[in-house]
Amino acid sequence: MSSERIIPTEPVPQPEDTLTQMSRSEFIAGWKALVGEPPATMLEDRSEMIRVLLESTPIAAEAGAGKSAQ
């Protein structure tokens, strides 16, 4: 099996979803509403930005977690 990377000769079609249909200003406003500030940098793939945001956000503990039952 070859380990060579295949590079497509034709552009890969981008899926039409809500993130790609939003204007840049709408996306930034939504990001600011979630995070509290505009994004420090814009990636070409907005889905990738959301993925990075989710991966960097700590998971909140459930209310009452860690308390002993009496």
Side-chain angles (χ1 to χ4, degrees):
M1 176 176 258
S2 175
S3 63
E4 290 183 39
R5 183 175 179 195
I6 298 173
I7 300 172
T9 56
E10 297 178 17
V12 177
Q14 295 297 317
E16 289 298 321
D17 63 13
T18 304
L19 289 175
T20 59
Q21 293 175 357
M22 293 174 76
S23 71
R24 182 180 176 99
S25 60
E26 287 175 317
F27 181 81
I28 291 173
W31 183 279
K32 189 173 179 180
L34 288 171
V35 180
E37 60 186 42
T41 187
M42 288 290 292
L43 302 177
E44 188 173 324
D45 184 350
R46 294 175 180 176
S47 295
E48 183 70 10
M49 289 182 68
I50 300 297
R51 185 190 65 76
V52 171
L53 175 64
L54 291 174
E55 287 180 354
S56 65
T57 304
I59 298 172
E62 289 184 40
K67 293 182 181 178
S68 60
Q70 293 183 7

